Amino acid sequence: MAGPGGDMQWCFSQVKGAIDDDVAEADIISTVEFNHTGELLATGDKGGRVVIFQQEIENKSQPQFRSEYNVYSTFQSHEPEFDYLKSLEIEEKINKIRWLPQKNAAQFLLSTNDKTIKLWKISERDKRPEGYNLKEEDGRYKDPNTITSLRVPVLIPMDLMVEASPRRVFANAHTYHINSISVNSDEETYLSADDLRINLWNLEITDRSFNIVDIKPANMEELTEVITAAEFHPHQCNTFVYSSSKGTIRLCDMRASALCDKHSKLFEEPEDPSNRSFFSEIISSISDVKFSHNGRYMMTRDYLSVKIWDLNMENRPVETHQVHEYLRSKLCSLYENDCIFDKFECCWNGNDSVVMTGSYNNFFRMFDRGQRRDVTLEASRENSKPMQVLKPRKVCAGGKRKKDEISVDSLDFNKKILHTAWHPQDNIIAVATTNNLYIFQDKVN
Amino acid sequence: MSGDNEDTQTAEDTSVDEKEVQEKVISPEKVEEAKLKSRYPNLGNKPGGSDLLRKRLQKGQKYFDSGDYNMAKAKIKNKQLPTAAPEKTEITGDHIPTPQDLPQRKPSLVASKLAG
Protein backbone atom coordinates (compact mmCIF):
# COMPACT_ATOMS: atom_id res chain seq x y z
CA MET A 1 0.00 0.00 0.00
CA ALA A 2 2.99 2.34 -0.04
CA GLY A 3 2.70 5.00 -2.68
CA PRO A 4 5.53 7.24 -3.70
CA GLY A 5 5.10 9.14 -0.45
CA GLY A 6 5.00 6.13 1.87
CA ASP A 7 1.92 4.67 3.54
CA MET A 8 -1.45 4.93 1.92
CA GLN A 9 -4.11 6.59 3.99
CA TRP A 10 -7.73 6.05 3.27
CA CYS A 11 -10.12 8.99 3.56
CA PHE A 12 -13.85 9.24 3.55
CA SER A 13 -15.15 10.65 0.31
CA GLN A 14 -18.90 10.07 0.06
CA VAL A 15 -21.75 8.01 1.45
CA LYS A 16 -24.97 7.21 -0.39
CA GLY A 17 -28.23 6.02 1.06
CA ALA A 18 -30.59 6.67 3.93
CA ILE A 19 -29.34 7.57 7.37
CA ASP A 20 -32.13 6.01 9.39
CA ASP A 21 -31.52 2.69 11.09
CA ASP A 22 -34.81 1.20 9.98
CA VAL A 23 -33.70 -0.56 6.83
CA ALA A 24 -36.34 -1.56 4.29
CA GLU A 25 -35.52 -4.96 2.80
CA ALA A 26 -35.62 -3.61 -0.71
CA ASP A 27 -32.77 -1.20 0.13
CA ILE A 28 -30.32 -3.92 1.07
CA ILE A 29 -27.41 -3.61 -1.36
CA SER A 30 -26.66 -6.90 -3.05
CA THR A 31 -23.91 -6.09 -5.54
CA VAL A 32 -21.38 -3.33 -6.36
CA GLU A 33 -19.31 -3.08 -9.52
CA PHE A 34 -17.09 -0.50 -11.22
CA ASN A 35 -17.04 -0.46 -15.02
CA HIS A 36 -13.77 -1.03 -16.91
CA THR A 37 -12.62 2.60 -16.74
CA GLY A 38 -13.91 3.23 -13.23
CA GLU A 39 -15.95 6.15 -14.46
CA LEU A 40 -19.18 4.35 -13.62
CA LEU A 41 -20.14 2.54 -10.44
CA ALA A 42 -23.21 0.33 -10.39
CA THR A 43 -25.11 -1.04 -7.40
CA GLY A 44 -27.94 -3.57 -7.29
CA ASP A 45 -30.31 -4.11 -4.40
CA LYS A 46 -32.76 -6.60 -2.99
CA GLY A 47 -35.64 -4.64 -4.50
CA GLY A 48 -34.39 -5.39 -8.01
CA ARG A 49 -33.18 -1.84 -8.65
CA VAL A 50 -29.92 -0.72 -10.20
CA VAL A 51 -28.36 2.65 -9.42
CA ILE A 52 -25.41 3.85 -11.50
CA PHE A 53 -23.10 6.61 -10.32
CA GLN A 54 -20.77 8.56 -12.57
CA GLN A 55 -17.48 10.13 -11.62
CA GLU A 56 -17.55 13.84 -12.28
CA ILE A 57 -14.67 15.41 -14.15
CA GLU A 58 -11.85 16.20 -11.75
CA ASN A 59 -11.71 19.68 -10.37
CA LYS A 60 -8.34 20.79 -11.69
CA SER A 61 -8.07 23.83 -9.46
CA GLN A 62 -8.27 21.74 -6.30
CA PRO A 63 -6.09 18.70 -6.91
CA GLN A 64 -6.41 17.36 -3.39
CA PHE A 65 -10.09 16.68 -3.89
CA ARG A 66 -10.73 13.79 -6.18
CA SER A 67 -13.86 13.81 -8.25
CA GLU A 68 -17.17 12.73 -6.81
CA TYR A 69 -19.59 10.06 -7.87
CA ASN A 70 -23.09 11.30 -8.56
CA VAL A 71 -26.24 9.54 -9.66
CA TYR A 72 -26.19 8.92 -13.39
CA SER A 73 -29.07 6.53 -13.92
CA THR A 74 -31.43 4.35 -11.93
CA PHE A 75 -33.90 1.75 -13.10
CA GLN A 76 -35.89 -1.28 -12.06
CA SER A 77 -33.97 -4.21 -13.48
CA HIS A 78 -35.90 -7.19 -12.18
CA GLU A 79 -39.33 -7.68 -10.66
CA PRO A 80 -40.61 -10.34 -8.29
CA GLU A 81 -42.13 -13.35 -9.98
CA PHE A 82 -43.96 -16.47 -8.92
CA ASP A 83 -43.43 -19.73 -10.77
CA TYR A 84 -46.84 -21.32 -10.33
CA LEU A 85 -45.79 -24.61 -11.83
CA LYS A 86 -43.09 -25.20 -9.24
CA SER A 87 -44.64 -23.15 -6.45
CA LEU A 88 -41.47 -21.14 -6.41
CA GLU A 89 -41.09 -17.52 -5.47
CA ILE A 90 -38.48 -15.79 -7.62
CA GLU A 91 -36.80 -12.93 -5.84
CA GLU A 92 -36.07 -9.72 -7.67
CA LYS A 93 -32.81 -9.29 -5.79
CA ILE A 94 -29.92 -8.44 -8.10
CA ASN A 95 -27.26 -11.06 -7.44
CA LYS A 96 -24.59 -9.73 -9.77
CA ILE A 97 -23.89 -6.89 -12.18
CA ARG A 98 -21.15 -7.14 -14.77
CA TRP A 99 -20.21 -4.38 -17.20
CA LEU A 100 -19.39 -4.99 -20.83
CA PRO A 101 -16.32 -3.21 -22.21
CA GLN A 102 -17.44 -0.06 -23.95
CA LYS A 103 -17.60 -0.26 -27.75
CA ASN A 104 -19.59 2.82 -28.68
CA ALA A 105 -21.28 5.78 -27.04
CA ALA A 106 -23.63 3.61 -25.02
CA GLN A 107 -22.78 1.57 -21.92
CA PHE A 108 -23.94 -1.99 -21.47
CA LEU A 109 -24.25 -4.11 -18.36
CA LEU A 110 -25.56 -7.53 -17.46
CA SER A 111 -27.66 -7.84 -14.34
CA THR A 112 -29.06 -11.05 -12.94
CA ASN A 113 -31.43 -12.29 -10.27
CA ASP A 114 -31.86 -15.96 -9.33
CA LYS A 115 -33.30 -16.98 -12.67
CA THR A 116 -32.98 -14.38 -15.42
CA ILE A 117 -30.09 -12.37 -16.84
CA LYS A 118 -30.76 -9.09 -18.60
CA LEU A 119 -28.58 -6.97 -20.85
CA TRP A 120 -29.21 -3.27 -20.25
CA LYS A 121 -28.21 -0.45 -22.56
CA ILE A 122 -27.54 2.86 -20.88
CA SER A 123 -27.42 5.71 -23.35
CA GLU A 124 -27.28 9.46 -23.19
CA ARG A 125 -29.51 11.84 -24.98
CA ASP A 126 -28.50 15.48 -25.01
CA LYS A 127 -30.16 16.65 -28.22
CA ARG A 128 -33.68 16.58 -29.43
CA PRO A 129 -35.16 17.21 -32.85
CA GLU A 130 -37.21 20.30 -33.45
CA GLY A 131 -39.11 21.59 -36.44
CA TYR A 132 -41.02 18.62 -37.71
CA ASN A 133 -43.23 19.26 -40.69
CA LEU A 134 -46.21 17.13 -39.70
CA LYS A 135 -46.15 17.47 -35.92
CA GLU A 136 -46.55 20.36 -33.52
CA GLU A 137 -43.95 20.76 -30.78
CA ASP A 138 -46.26 19.04 -28.28
CA GLY A 139 -46.69 16.01 -30.56
CA ARG A 140 -50.12 16.71 -31.98
CA TYR A 141 -50.41 16.11 -35.67
CA LYS A 142 -50.94 19.11 -37.91
CA ASP A 143 -53.65 19.30 -40.48
CA PRO A 144 -51.72 18.52 -43.69
CA ASN A 145 -53.72 21.16 -45.56
CA THR A 146 -52.17 23.90 -43.47
CA ILE A 147 -48.64 23.03 -44.51
CA THR A 148 -47.39 25.33 -47.23
CA SER A 149 -43.65 24.80 -47.08
CA LEU A 150 -41.16 22.16 -46.01
CA ARG A 151 -38.31 22.57 -43.56
CA VAL A 152 -35.56 20.31 -42.31
CA PRO A 153 -35.85 19.46 -38.61
CA VAL A 154 -32.80 20.47 -36.57
CA LEU A 155 -31.24 18.94 -33.48
CA ILE A 156 -31.15 21.35 -30.57
CA PRO A 157 -29.40 20.80 -27.24
CA MET A 158 -31.43 19.64 -24.27
CA ASP A 159 -30.72 18.71 -20.66
CA LEU A 160 -28.86 15.44 -20.46
CA MET A 161 -31.17 12.48 -20.21
CA VAL A 162 -29.82 9.04 -19.41
CA GLU A 163 -31.99 6.19 -20.57
CA ALA A 164 -31.75 2.55 -19.61
CA SER A 165 -33.44 -0.01 -21.80
CA PRO A 166 -33.41 -3.80 -21.64
CA ARG A 167 -31.89 -5.06 -24.89
CA ARG A 168 -31.82 -8.79 -24.16
CA VAL A 169 -33.52 -11.06 -21.68
CA PHE A 170 -31.79 -14.40 -21.13
CA ALA A 171 -34.38 -16.52 -19.40
CA ASN A 172 -35.38 -20.09 -18.62
CA ALA A 173 -31.92 -21.60 -18.62
CA HIS A 174 -31.44 -22.16 -14.90
CA THR A 175 -33.33 -24.57 -12.69
CA TYR A 176 -31.30 -23.55 -9.66
CA HIS A 177 -30.28 -20.14 -8.37
CA ILE A 178 -27.82 -18.09 -10.39
CA ASN A 179 -24.83 -17.04 -8.29
CA SER A 180 -22.42 -15.70 -10.94
CA ILE A 181 -22.17 -14.15 -14.36
CA SER A 182 -18.92 -13.43 -16.13
CA VAL A 183 -18.24 -11.74 -19.46
CA ASN A 184 -15.67 -13.47 -21.65
CA SER A 185 -12.60 -11.59 -22.92
CA ASP A 186 -13.91 -12.29 -26.43
CA GLU A 187 -16.66 -9.75 -25.63
CA GLU A 188 -19.15 -11.98 -27.43
CA THR A 189 -20.02 -14.60 -24.87
CA TYR A 190 -20.60 -14.82 -21.16
CA LEU A 191 -21.24 -17.55 -18.61
CA SER A 192 -23.92 -17.86 -15.97
CA ALA A 193 -23.57 -20.28 -13.07
CA ASP A 194 -26.15 -21.70 -10.69
CA ASP A 195 -25.75 -24.21 -7.87
CA LEU A 196 -25.31 -27.16 -10.18
CA ARG A 197 -24.78 -25.94 -13.73
CA ILE A 198 -22.88 -23.42 -15.79
CA ASN A 199 -24.19 -22.13 -19.11
CA LEU A 200 -22.46 -20.31 -21.93
CA TRP A 201 -24.37 -17.61 -23.79
CA ASN A 202 -23.81 -15.45 -26.81
CA LEU A 203 -24.73 -11.87 -25.99
CA GLU A 204 -26.80 -11.64 -29.16
CA ILE A 205 -28.80 -14.84 -28.72
CA THR A 206 -31.40 -15.24 -26.01
CA ASP A 207 -33.24 -18.40 -26.98
CA ARG A 208 -30.30 -20.71 -26.67
CA SER A 209 -27.41 -21.37 -24.33
CA PHE A 210 -24.85 -24.12 -24.05
CA ASN A 211 -24.44 -26.09 -20.88
CA ILE A 212 -20.72 -26.36 -20.15
CA VAL A 213 -20.69 -27.73 -16.60
CA ASP A 214 -23.24 -30.02 -14.99
CA ILE A 215 -22.54 -31.45 -11.54
CA LYS A 216 -26.06 -32.61 -10.80
CA PRO A 217 -25.90 -36.22 -9.63
CA ALA A 218 -28.34 -38.75 -11.11
CA ASN A 219 -29.66 -39.29 -7.61
CA MET A 220 -30.05 -36.07 -5.64
CA GLU A 221 -29.50 -37.98 -2.43
CA GLU A 222 -25.88 -38.25 -3.51
CA LEU A 223 -25.41 -34.49 -3.72
CA THR A 224 -22.28 -33.50 -1.85
CA GLU A 225 -21.28 -30.13 -3.23
CA VAL A 226 -22.63 -27.16 -5.15
CA ILE A 227 -21.10 -24.50 -7.38
CA THR A 228 -20.63 -21.27 -5.48
CA ALA A 229 -18.96 -18.92 -8.00
CA ALA A 230 -17.54 -18.91 -11.52
CA GLU A 231 -15.45 -16.53 -13.60
CA PHE A 232 -13.82 -16.35 -17.01
CA HIS A 233 -10.07 -15.79 -17.26
CA PRO A 234 -9.40 -12.10 -18.02
CA HIS A 235 -7.35 -12.84 -21.17
CA GLN A 236 -7.73 -16.49 -22.16
CA CYS A 237 -11.16 -16.77 -23.68
CA ASN A 238 -11.15 -20.58 -23.39
CA THR A 239 -10.48 -20.71 -19.64
CA PHE A 240 -12.81 -20.33 -16.68
CA VAL A 241 -12.87 -21.40 -13.06
CA TYR A 242 -15.63 -22.41 -10.69
CA SER A 243 -15.52 -22.83 -6.94
CA SER A 244 -17.47 -25.23 -4.75
CA SER A 245 -19.03 -25.45 -1.32
CA LYS A 246 -16.30 -27.93 -0.39
CA GLY A 247 -13.49 -25.42 -0.83
CA THR A 248 -12.21 -26.60 -4.20
CA ILE A 249 -11.67 -24.64 -7.39
CA ARG A 250 -11.76 -26.23 -10.81
CA LEU A 251 -10.17 -24.65 -13.85
CA CYS A 252 -11.70 -25.72 -17.14
CA ASP A 253 -10.60 -25.36 -20.74
CA MET A 254 -13.46 -25.09 -23.22
CA ARG A 255 -11.21 -26.35 -26.00
CA ALA A 256 -10.91 -29.74 -24.32
CA SER A 257 -14.55 -30.74 -24.78
CA ALA A 258 -18.02 -29.33 -25.16
CA LEU A 259 -19.01 -30.36 -21.65
CA CYS A 260 -16.34 -29.31 -19.18
CA ASP A 261 -17.30 -31.68 -16.39
CA LYS A 262 -13.74 -32.93 -16.38
CA HIS A 263 -11.53 -30.18 -15.04
CA SER A 264 -8.10 -29.27 -16.37
CA LYS A 265 -6.87 -28.28 -12.93
CA LEU A 266 -8.19 -28.86 -9.44
CA PHE A 267 -7.08 -26.42 -6.75
CA GLU A 268 -7.44 -27.75 -3.25
CA GLU A 269 -5.52 -27.23 -0.06
CA PRO A 270 -5.01 -30.47 1.81
CA GLU A 271 -6.72 -30.56 5.17
CA ASP A 272 -5.37 -32.05 8.35
CA PRO A 273 -7.94 -34.76 9.09
CA SER A 274 -7.34 -34.51 12.82
CA ASN A 275 -8.49 -30.90 12.73
CA ARG A 276 -11.73 -31.77 11.07
CA SER A 277 -14.89 -30.67 12.86
CA PHE A 278 -18.56 -30.28 12.14
CA PHE A 279 -17.80 -26.79 10.87
CA SER A 280 -14.85 -27.61 8.63
CA GLU A 281 -16.74 -28.05 5.42
CA ILE A 282 -19.10 -25.15 6.04
CA ILE A 283 -16.30 -22.65 6.65
CA SER A 284 -14.28 -23.99 3.74
CA SER A 285 -17.09 -23.19 1.31
CA ILE A 286 -15.81 -20.60 -1.15
CA SER A 287 -18.08 -17.58 -1.43
CA ASP A 288 -16.18 -15.73 -4.16
CA VAL A 289 -13.44 -16.34 -6.71
CA LYS A 290 -11.68 -13.56 -8.64
CA PHE A 291 -8.84 -13.67 -11.14
CA SER A 292 -6.08 -11.09 -10.72
CA HIS A 293 -5.98 -8.44 -13.44
CA ASN A 294 -2.79 -9.91 -14.86
CA GLY A 295 -4.39 -13.33 -15.11
CA ARG A 296 -1.63 -15.17 -13.25
CA TYR A 297 -3.38 -15.57 -9.92
CA MET A 298 -6.83 -16.10 -8.52
CA MET A 299 -8.20 -15.21 -5.12
CA THR A 300 -10.80 -17.17 -3.17
CA ARG A 301 -12.79 -16.13 -0.12
CA ASP A 302 -13.98 -18.66 2.41
CA TYR A 303 -15.60 -17.86 5.73
CA LEU A 304 -12.48 -16.98 7.69
CA SER A 305 -9.80 -16.28 5.12
CA VAL A 306 -8.73 -15.01 1.72
CA LYS A 307 -6.41 -17.27 -0.30
CA ILE A 308 -4.33 -16.40 -3.30
CA TRP A 309 -3.53 -19.17 -5.74
CA ASP A 310 -0.91 -19.31 -8.45
CA LEU A 311 -2.63 -20.85 -11.48
CA ASN A 312 0.42 -23.04 -11.95
CA MET A 313 0.19 -24.59 -8.50
CA GLU A 314 -2.82 -26.67 -7.60
CA ASN A 315 -1.88 -28.25 -4.32
CA ARG A 316 -1.92 -25.18 -2.10
CA PRO A 317 -2.42 -21.41 -2.18
CA VAL A 318 0.63 -19.17 -2.33
CA GLU A 319 -0.83 -16.80 0.26
CA THR A 320 -3.43 -17.14 3.00
CA HIS A 321 -4.73 -14.05 4.76
CA GLN A 322 -6.81 -14.34 7.91
CA VAL A 323 -9.80 -12.04 7.78
CA HIS A 324 -11.26 -12.59 11.23
CA GLU A 325 -9.64 -15.65 12.79
CA TYR A 326 -11.09 -14.64 16.17
CA LEU A 327 -14.45 -15.95 14.93
CA ARG A 328 -13.18 -19.53 15.01
CA SER A 329 -14.09 -19.71 18.68
CA LYS A 330 -17.57 -18.35 17.97
CA LEU A 331 -18.59 -20.83 15.30
CA CYS A 332 -21.34 -22.38 17.40
CA SER A 333 -23.30 -19.15 17.76
CA LEU A 334 -22.47 -18.12 14.20
CA TYR A 335 -24.03 -21.39 13.05
CA GLU A 336 -27.11 -20.79 15.19
CA ASN A 337 -27.70 -17.29 13.83
CA ASP A 338 -26.87 -18.39 10.27
CA CYS A 339 -23.98 -15.94 9.95
CA ILE A 340 -21.69 -18.84 9.15
CA PHE A 341 -23.44 -18.97 5.77
CA ASP A 342 -22.76 -15.32 4.91
CA LYS A 343 -21.20 -14.94 1.49
CA PHE A 344 -18.40 -12.40 1.51
CA GLU A 345 -16.88 -11.17 -1.74
CA CYS A 346 -13.33 -10.05 -2.35
CA CYS A 347 -11.52 -7.85 -4.87
CA TRP A 348 -8.10 -6.90 -6.23
CA ASN A 349 -6.74 -3.40 -6.68
CA GLY A 350 -5.71 -2.28 -10.16
CA ASN A 351 -2.13 -3.57 -10.09
CA ASP A 352 -2.91 -6.71 -8.04
CA SER A 353 -0.75 -5.58 -5.12
CA VAL A 354 -3.57 -5.26 -2.57
CA VAL A 355 -6.70 -7.32 -1.95
CA MET A 356 -9.78 -6.35 0.02
CA THR A 357 -12.71 -8.09 1.63
CA GLY A 358 -15.44 -7.31 4.13
CA SER A 359 -16.18 -8.50 7.66
CA TYR A 360 -18.67 -7.80 10.47
CA ASN A 361 -19.32 -4.65 12.47
CA ASN A 362 -18.98 -2.75 9.19
CA PHE A 363 -15.28 -3.55 9.19
CA PHE A 364 -13.39 -4.30 6.02
CA ARG A 365 -9.89 -5.62 5.59
CA MET A 366 -7.08 -4.88 3.15
CA PHE A 367 -4.05 -7.08 2.64
CA ASP A 368 -0.98 -5.59 1.01
CA ARG A 369 0.72 -8.53 -0.63
CA GLY A 370 4.07 -6.89 -1.29
CA GLN A 371 4.40 -5.08 2.03
CA ARG A 372 2.96 -8.08 3.92
CA ARG A 373 0.78 -5.72 5.90
CA ASP A 374 -2.90 -5.68 6.59
CA VAL A 375 -5.33 -3.16 7.98
CA THR A 376 -8.86 -3.16 9.33
CA LEU A 377 -11.01 -0.13 8.55
CA GLU A 378 -14.57 0.76 9.36
CA ALA A 379 -17.37 2.20 7.25
CA SER A 380 -19.53 4.24 9.57
CA ARG A 381 -21.37 7.52 9.70
CA GLU A 382 -19.21 8.55 12.67
CA ASN A 383 -16.17 8.70 10.40
CA SER A 384 -17.85 10.52 7.57
CA LYS A 385 -16.51 14.05 7.68
CA PRO A 386 -15.18 15.16 4.28
CA MET A 387 -11.69 13.78 3.69
CA GLN A 388 -11.56 12.35 7.21
CA VAL A 389 -8.74 9.84 7.46
CA LEU A 390 -9.88 6.39 8.52
CA LYS A 391 -8.26 5.12 11.66
CA PRO A 392 -7.24 1.46 11.66
CA ARG A 393 -9.43 -0.71 13.91
CA LYS A 394 -8.39 -3.61 16.06
CA VAL A 395 -10.41 -6.49 17.42
CA CYS A 396 -9.37 -7.93 20.73
CA ALA A 397 -9.67 -11.70 20.57
CA GLY A 398 -9.37 -12.35 24.26
CA GLY A 399 -7.59 -11.29 27.37
CA LYS A 400 -7.03 -7.68 28.21
CA ARG A 401 -8.70 -5.26 25.86
CA LYS A 402 -6.61 -2.24 25.05
CA LYS A 403 -8.06 1.22 24.62
CA ASP A 404 -9.61 1.73 21.16
CA GLU A 405 -9.88 -2.01 20.66
CA ILE A 406 -13.22 -3.72 20.32
CA SER A 407 -13.90 -7.10 21.83
CA VAL A 408 -15.26 -9.96 19.74
CA ASP A 409 -18.43 -10.09 21.82
CA SER A 410 -19.18 -6.45 21.06
CA LEU A 411 -19.12 -6.95 17.30
CA ASP A 412 -22.41 -6.32 15.54
CA PHE A 413 -22.99 -9.34 13.31
CA ASN A 414 -25.91 -7.64 11.60
CA LYS A 415 -23.56 -5.04 10.17
CA LYS A 416 -21.89 -7.06 7.46
CA ILE A 417 -19.85 -5.81 4.56
CA LEU A 418 -20.36 -8.46 1.91
CA HIS A 419 -19.72 -6.39 -1.21
CA THR A 420 -16.72 -4.21 -1.99
CA ALA A 421 -15.21 -2.95 -5.24
CA TRP A 422 -11.91 -1.33 -6.20
CA HIS A 423 -11.55 1.20 -9.00
CA PRO A 424 -9.65 -0.49 -11.85
CA GLN A 425 -6.91 2.14 -11.96
CA ASP A 426 -7.05 4.53 -9.02
CA ASN A 427 -7.13 4.06 -5.28
CA ILE A 428 -10.84 4.62 -4.94
CA ILE A 429 -12.94 1.95 -3.26
CA ALA A 430 -16.67 1.39 -2.93
CA VAL A 431 -17.80 -0.40 0.23
CA ALA A 432 -21.41 -1.45 0.75
CA THR A 433 -22.83 -1.74 4.25
CA THR A 434 -26.36 -3.12 4.57
CA ASN A 435 -28.05 -0.20 2.88
CA ASN A 436 -25.38 2.46 2.41
CA LEU A 437 -22.63 2.82 -0.15
CA TYR A 438 -19.38 4.36 1.07
CA ILE A 439 -16.73 5.70 -1.25
CA PHE A 440 -13.22 6.09 0.10
CA GLN A 441 -10.08 7.32 -1.61
CA ASP A 442 -6.47 7.53 -0.65
CA LYS A 443 -5.13 10.87 0.50
CA VAL A 444 -3.23 12.30 -2.41
CA ASN A 445 0.18 13.13 -1.03
CA MET B 1 -7.78 -37.76 21.26
CA SER B 2 -4.37 -39.35 21.66
CA GLY B 3 -3.85 -39.10 17.92
CA ASP B 4 -3.79 -35.29 18.12
CA ASN B 5 -0.61 -35.26 20.11
CA GLU B 6 1.56 -36.81 17.44
CA ASP B 7 1.76 -33.71 15.28
CA THR B 8 2.90 -31.31 17.96
CA GLN B 9 4.99 -33.45 20.25
CA THR B 10 8.74 -33.09 20.02
CA ALA B 11 11.44 -35.05 21.82
CA GLU B 12 11.50 -32.55 24.69
CA ASP B 13 7.78 -32.87 25.29
CA THR B 14 7.71 -36.54 26.03
CA SER B 15 8.24 -35.88 29.70
CA VAL B 16 5.39 -33.33 29.83
CA ASP B 17 2.13 -34.36 31.38
CA GLU B 18 0.08 -35.81 28.51
CA LYS B 19 -3.13 -34.21 29.75
CA GLU B 20 -1.55 -30.75 29.60
CA VAL B 21 -0.48 -31.31 25.99
CA GLN B 22 -3.97 -32.55 25.10
CA GLU B 23 -5.58 -29.36 26.41
CA LYS B 24 -3.22 -27.27 24.29
CA VAL B 25 -4.12 -28.95 21.02
CA ILE B 26 -7.92 -29.00 21.33
CA SER B 27 -8.82 -26.61 18.59
CA PRO B 28 -11.38 -23.86 19.24
CA GLU B 29 -13.40 -25.41 16.42
CA LYS B 30 -13.75 -28.68 18.29
CA VAL B 31 -14.80 -26.80 21.42
CA GLU B 32 -17.49 -25.05 19.40
CA GLU B 33 -18.55 -28.35 17.87
CA ALA B 34 -18.99 -29.87 21.31
CA LYS B 35 -21.08 -26.86 22.33
CA LEU B 36 -23.32 -27.27 19.30
CA LYS B 37 -23.74 -31.00 19.77
CA SER B 38 -24.72 -30.50 23.38
CA ARG B 39 -27.47 -28.06 22.34
CA TYR B 40 -28.69 -30.12 19.41
CA PRO B 41 -28.02 -33.76 20.14
CA ASN B 42 -29.91 -34.89 17.04
CA LEU B 43 -27.66 -32.97 14.67
CA GLY B 44 -26.85 -35.10 11.66
CA ASN B 45 -23.48 -36.67 11.13
CA LYS B 46 -23.11 -35.36 7.60
CA PRO B 47 -23.10 -31.62 8.18
CA GLY B 48 -22.02 -30.45 4.76
CA GLY B 49 -24.01 -33.11 3.04
CA SER B 50 -27.43 -33.50 1.63
CA ASP B 51 -29.57 -31.76 4.24
CA LEU B 52 -27.84 -28.39 4.16
CA LEU B 53 -27.37 -28.45 0.41
CA ARG B 54 -30.91 -29.47 -0.33
CA LYS B 55 -32.21 -26.72 1.93
CA ARG B 56 -30.09 -24.30 -0.06
CA LEU B 57 -31.40 -25.56 -3.40
CA GLN B 58 -34.99 -25.28 -2.26
CA LYS B 59 -34.82 -21.62 -1.36
CA GLY B 60 -37.98 -19.85 -2.41
CA GLN B 61 -40.25 -22.86 -2.32
CA LYS B 62 -43.74 -22.03 -1.23
CA TYR B 63 -46.86 -24.15 -1.20
CA PHE B 64 -50.32 -22.80 -1.74
CA ASP B 65 -53.34 -24.74 -2.83
CA SER B 66 -56.42 -22.58 -3.07
CA GLY B 67 -58.65 -25.64 -2.83
CA ASP B 68 -57.10 -26.81 0.42
CA TYR B 69 -57.19 -23.28 1.74
CA ASN B 70 -60.90 -22.75 1.04
CA MET B 71 -61.82 -26.15 2.47
CA ALA B 72 -59.89 -25.43 5.62
CA LYS B 73 -61.46 -22.02 5.90
CA ALA B 74 -64.93 -23.51 5.62
CA LYS B 75 -64.26 -26.19 8.25
CA ILE B 76 -62.82 -23.92 10.88
CA LYS B 77 -65.03 -20.88 10.39
CA ASN B 78 -65.38 -20.29 14.11
CA LYS B 79 -61.80 -20.98 15.03
CA GLN B 80 -58.70 -18.90 14.42
CA LEU B 81 -56.85 -19.51 11.22
CA PRO B 82 -53.62 -21.46 11.80
CA THR B 83 -50.61 -19.27 12.23
CA ALA B 84 -47.66 -19.51 9.89
CA ALA B 85 -44.97 -21.98 10.80
CA PRO B 86 -41.75 -20.11 11.56
CA GLU B 87 -39.64 -22.55 9.62
CA LYS B 88 -40.34 -23.60 6.07
CA THR B 89 -39.68 -27.33 5.90
CA GLU B 90 -40.09 -29.83 3.13
CA ILE B 91 -43.16 -31.38 4.71
CA THR B 92 -46.43 -29.49 4.23
CA GLY B 93 -48.22 -31.48 6.92
CA ASP B 94 -51.48 -30.25 8.39
CA HIS B 95 -50.77 -26.60 8.05
CA ILE B 96 -52.78 -24.98 5.31
CA PRO B 97 -50.93 -21.94 4.06
CA THR B 98 -52.93 -18.78 4.01
CA PRO B 99 -52.56 -15.84 1.67
CA GLN B 100 -50.90 -14.08 4.57
CA ASP B 101 -48.07 -16.58 4.34
CA LEU B 102 -47.56 -15.69 0.71
CA PRO B 103 -47.51 -11.94 0.59
CA GLN B 104 -48.29 -10.34 -2.71
CA ARG B 105 -44.97 -9.64 -4.29
CA LYS B 106 -45.19 -6.30 -5.95
CA PRO B 107 -42.21 -4.61 -7.53
CA SER B 108 -40.65 -1.67 -5.71
CA LEU B 109 -42.48 1.42 -6.82
CA VAL B 110 -40.23 3.60 -4.73
CA ALA B 111 -36.89 4.68 -6.12
CA SER B 112 -33.74 3.45 -4.44
CA LYS B 113 -32.58 5.62 -1.55
CA LEU B 114 -29.07 5.51 -2.98
CA ALA B 115 -30.35 7.72 -5.78
CA GLY B 116 -31.91 10.18 -3.36
Side-chain angles (χ1 to χ4, degrees), chain B residues 4-16 21 24-25:
Chain B
D4 291 346
N5 298 343
E6 280 163 349
D7 293 337
T8 54
Q9 245 177 359
T10 60
E12 298 94 78
D13 283 350
T14 47
S15 56
V16 174
V21 176
K24 266 193 227 165
V25 301

Side-chain angles (χ1 to χ4, degrees), chain A residues 348-410:
Chain A
W348 299 84
N349 74 339
N351 62 14
D352 300 330
S353 60
V354 186
V355 297
M356 170 168 65
T357 190
S359 179
Y360 295 104
N361 209 69
N362 282 348
F363 287 172
F364 58 100
R365 303 265 286 136
M366 282 187 194
F367 302 95
D368 188 324
R369 304 174 59 211
Q371 302 258 317
R372 292 174 199 265
R373 265 202 303 230
D374 59 83
V375 71
T376 304
L377 300 172
E378 183 181 1
S380 81
R381 292 270 175 178
E382 278 90 58
N383 307 322
S384 54
K385 282 194 279 291
M387 299 307 287
Q388 178 177 1
V389 176
L390 296 183
K391 209 174 74 152
R393 317 294 290 171
K394 193 118 171 43
V395 176
C396 168
K400 218 164 162 40
R401 185 178 74 89
K402 297 198 192 97
K403 179 163 117 64
D404 284 349
E405 280 185 359
I406 180 165
S407 76
V408 183
D409 296 312
S410 309

Side-chain angles (χ1 to χ4, degrees), chain A residues 87 274 328-329 332 336, chain B residues 29-30 32 39-40 62 110:
Chain A
S87 244
S274 64
R328 202 180 285 270
S329 51
C332 180
E336 288 178 301
Chain B
E29 252 181 75
K30 291 242 166 84
E32 291 296 297
R39 287 186 206 176
Y40 309 99
K62 297 214 190 296
V110 186

Side-chain angles (χ1 to χ4, degrees), chain B residues 64-75 92-93 95-97:
Chain B
F64 183 73
D65 184 319
S66 60
D68 280 350
Y69 168 66
N70 284 306
M71 296 275 285
K73 213 164 70 156
K75 274 187 197 155
T92 51
H95 168 57
I96 307 297

